[in-house]
Amino acid sequence: EESLQMWDLNKRLEAYLARVKFLEEENEVLKAEIRSAKGSSGSSPAGEPWRAKYEEELRALRDELDLLFKEKCTAELDRDNLSEEVEQVRSRCRKEQAAREEAKKQLSLGRKELEEERRAQIWLKERAAQLEKEVGTLLEVHEEEKAELEQEVADFSQSLESFPCAPVAFQPLEVEDYSKRLSEIWRGAVETYKTEVSQLEGSLCQAKENLWRVVEDNQQSQLQLQRLEKELEGLKVKKEMLEENLGRRWQEQRGEAEKFQLAAEALEQEKQSLRLQIAQVLEDRQQLMHLKMSLSLEVATYR
């Protein structure tokens, strides 16, 4: 029974020794890797270990993250400022549109007034021509009646001269007075028509002045409308440029944020993987120490 136990212990010792040899070889390999890692980190100018190097890189990346966050805040402020500028441009465009509509209304009113003045001018011209024709007709009728009256007076005078004596009731002076009064009446009528014609001419001149004033106002309104249209086109171009700049900045900021997010995720994954490797190495060393202690105890027990 004791020989069987001894044989079993020998078999277990042989297995433990093989396991210890394998673990020592693996430990030597790990030591060599750690030594090479320390040597590569020690060959740097700072002479820091690899963990300090990774922490330094992580710190640099955090600083870069802060810088990118600041740039992001600055870009957001610029975006807000650009939004305010765009809103101001839109409000100005609305004001310019309202001013242009008002100018169009004034222009349409001016055109209506111009048409009314033209119609009034045409009516005044026709009325003046009609009055001139009436005055000419009245003058011709007056001249004809005057000539007929003079002819009748002359014929009547000749017929009176043929009689030996004129009747007592006939007075040539009354005929002359009647002729003079008739001439004065016609002359007054002519003067009245001339006065009306002069008044119509004055009204026509006033209408012409009003027409020229309306034409000048119309030209000024057109010039103002053209200037407002040019300003509106300039504001539209500026608005498009601002929107393009805003969109480009937003895309650049979004791309930088995505790149930064990917870099941060990659660093975090690398950090986690390094932690897992370190934890695995420490766990393997701890297991190795436990195994060595158990083997030492078993060897001591065996001895």
Side-chain angles (χ1 to χ4, degrees):
E1 186 179 357
E2 289 178 358
S3 63
L4 289 174
Q5 290 178 0
M6 187 66 69
W7 183 76
D8 189 16
L9 287 173
N10 286 328
K11 290 293 183 181
R12 289 178 65 187
L13 180 60
E14 186 179 356
Y16 283 139
L17 290 175
R19 178 65 177 169
V20 167
K21 185 177 180 181
F22 174 73
L23 291 174
E24 285 179 353
E25 290 177 356
E26 190 175 357
N27 193 11
E28 290 296 331
V29 173
L30 290 173
K31 284 181 179 179
E33 290 180 357
I34 293 171
R35 198 177 296 111
S36 63
K38 288 183 178 180
S40 62
S41 62
S43 62
S44 62
E48 295 179 352
W50 58 274
R51 187 170 184 178
K53 182 179 178 181
Y54 282 118
E55 288 179 356
E56 185 66 26
E57 291 180 357
L58 186 60
R59 193 179 299 110
L61 289 171
R62 286 176 180 173
D63 294 335
E64 187 176 358
L65 174 61
D66 294 334
L67 181 61
L68 289 173
F69 184 73
K70 290 179 181 179
E71 290 179 356
K72 180 182 178 182
C73 294
T74 306
E76 288 179 354
L77 290 174
D78 293 336
R79 182 190 64 189
D80 295 335
N81 293 327
L82 287 173
S83 299
E84 290 178 359
E85 290 181 1
V86 169
E87 187 64 28
Q88 290 177 1
V89 169
R90 286 178 180 173
S91 62
R92 190 173 177 183
C93 288
R94 287 193 291 268
K95 290 180 181 178
E96 295 293 337
Q97 186 72 21
R100 190 170 72 173
E101 293 294 332
E102 186 67 24
K104 286 182 178 180
K105 290 181 181 178
Q106 294 293 333
L107 183 61
S108 62
L109 291 174
R111 287 177 178 174
K112 289 181 180 178
E113 291 179 357
L114 180 61
E115 291 295 329
E116 290 178 357
E117 292 292 335
R118 286 179 180 175
R119 290 175 182 174
Q121 185 181 5
I122 293 170
W123 182 80
L124 289 173
K125 287 181 179 179
E126 292 177 354
R127 183 62 178 169
Q130 185 178 0
L131 289 174
E132 287 178 357
K133 290 180 179 179
E134 289 180 359
V135 169
T137 305
L138 290 173
L139 288 174
E140 291 177 357
V141 171
H142 175 65
E143 292 295 333
E144 290 178 356
E145 290 180 353
K146 185 178 178 181
E148 290 178 356
L149 187 60
E150 289 178 354
Q151 185 66 32
E152 288 178 357
V153 169
D155 294 337
F156 190 68
S157 298
Q158 290 178 2
S159 63
L160 288 175
E161 288 177 356
S162 62
F163 290 100
C165 62
V168 178
F170 179 76
Q171 294 180 358
L173 295 175
E174 293 180 358
V175 176
E176 292 179 358
D177 292 336
Y178 176 74
S179 177
K180 288 179 180 180
R181 289 176 63 186
L182 187 61
S183 299
E184 290 176 356
I185 290 170
W186 282 108
R187 196 174 292 111
V190 170
E191 292 295 331
T192 304
Y193 280 113
K194 286 183 179 179
T195 304
E196 290 180 357
V197 169
S198 62
Q199 290 178 358
L200 290 172
E201 288 178 353
S203 300
L204 183 61
C205 293
Q206 185 69 28
K208 286 182 179 179
E209 291 178 358
N210 293 328
L211 180 62
W212 284 111
R213 192 179 300 111
V214 170
V215 170
E216 290 178 357
D217 293 337
N218 189 8
Q219 291 177 357
Q220 291 179 1
S221 299
Q222 288 180 357
L223 292 174
Q224 186 178 3
L225 181 61
Q226 291 176 0
R227 185 172 64 252
L228 290 174
E229 287 178 352
K230 289 181 181 179
E231 291 180 359
L232 183 61
E233 291 295 330
L235 289 173
K236 285 182 179 179
V237 173
K238 188 176 179 181
K239 178 184 174 184
E240 291 176 357
M241 291 176 64
L242 288 173
E243 288 179 351
E244 289 178 359
N245 292 328
L246 181 61
R248 186 168 59 253
R249 285 193 177 184
W250 180 255
Q251 291 294 331
E252 291 177 356
Q253 181 183 359
R254 191 172 180 181
E256 289 177 358
E258 290 178 355
K259 289 180 181 178
F260 169 72
Q261 187 69 26
L262 292 174
E265 290 177 357
L267 289 172
E268 189 68 26
Q269 291 177 1
E270 187 177 358
K271 181 181 176 182
Q272 293 294 331
S273 64
L274 287 173
R275 284 182 178 177
L276 291 174
Q277 289 178 5
I278 292 169
Q280 186 68 31
V281 170
L282 292 175
E283 187 178 358
D284 290 340
R285 290 185 66 183
Q286 189 175 4
Q287 290 178 2
L288 182 60
M289 293 297 295
H290 283 297
L291 186 59
K292 286 179 71 175
M293 288 176 65
S294 65
L295 287 174
S296 297
L297 289 173
E298 289 188 1
V299 167
T301 303
Y302 176 72
R303 287 177 180 175

